[in-house]
Amino acid sequence: MNSSLPRKVILIAGASRGAGPDTARQLAQQGHHVVLGARRSHRLQGLVNEIRKAGGSAEWYALDVNQPVEMQAFLAFAEDVHKRVDVVIHN
């Protein structure tokens, strides 16, 4: 990551499939912290482990992206842990 760019806290909802995993890997490789959300927690756990093993920073949160209450809880989780959310990607 370019050291002149600030590290962002980036949430990716729907991160367990489609463009989600590749997006998470790329953003983590660029030095951003990714918080991944989806129903398939086993896939999220594997992806977070992969990102961390490669030196990135990530965590996961189980949620159904179609449920507004769960999306709000996902945002609240990230804000509680990181004190901010810079970007939300709803995949």
Side-chain angles (χ1 to χ4, degrees):
M1 178 173 162
N2 183 337
S3 62
S4 66
L5 296 175
R7 177 177 168 171
K8 303 283 187 190
V9 175
I10 302 174
L11 280 61
I12 304 174
S16 66
R17 62 185 193 153
D22 288 337
T23 302
R25 287 182 194 101
Q26 184 175 8
L27 291 168
Q29 185 178 27
Q30 292 173 2
H32 300 292
H33 180 82
V34 293
V35 183
L36 311 177
R39 289 180 297 183
R40 294 168 184 86
S41 58
H42 65 284
R43 289 185 183 180
L44 295 178
Q45 289 173 334
L47 181 55
V48 164
N49 290 341
E50 176 188 332
I51 288 169
R52 289 177 178 170
K53 189 173 183 179
S57 178
E59 57 204 5
W60 64 273
Y61 186 91
L63 77 142
D64 182 342
V65 299
N66 295 311
Q67 300 299 318
V69 170
E70 292 186 26
M71 284 297 297
Q72 290 172 344
F74 180 46
L75 288 166
F77 165 76
E79 288 176 339
D80 185 51
V81 172
H82 300 286
K83 309 304 179 216
R84 73 179 206 275
V85 171
D86 299 304
V87 178
V88 177
I89 300 170
H90 198 288
N91 179 39

